[in-house]
Amino acid sequence: MRTLRGSGLLKASNLWKALGVAGFLGVAATGAVVVRAERRRRAYTPEEIRERLHERLDGSPGEPA
């Protein structure tokens, strides 16, 4: 009867565990970046948003409103 250590199954199991942990950490890091960007976006006051939208509208080509 072969043992797990002799068959290499234990090494493959550790590899899959390491890949799973790396994948989890990648998802967590991506989530942290998204949350940071959302927090930065929400830091604008309503007046700043209104001002930026008016600037964007005034600078856009097309028919006048």
Side-chain angles (χ1 to χ4, degrees):
M1 182 185 249
R2 294 192 320 185
T3 63
L4 289 178
R5 288 191 179 143
S7 67
L9 187 60
L10 188 60
K11 289 181 183 179
S13 175
N14 284 341
L15 175 65
W16 284 111
K17 284 181 187 178
L19 287 174
V21 169
F24 178 77
L25 291 176
V27 169
T30 301
V33 169
V34 169
V35 167
R36 183 183 296 164
E38 182 70 15
R39 204 177 307 136
R40 200 176 296 155
R41 185 185 68 81
R42 288 185 181 206
Y44 293 117
T45 64
E47 292 80 21
E48 289 173 328
I49 293 172
R50 190 175 301 113
E51 182 179 309
R52 292 180 72 181
L53 288 173
H54 283 293
E55 288 173 3
R56 198 181 290 177
L57 181 65
D58 291 340
S60 66
E63 297 179 22

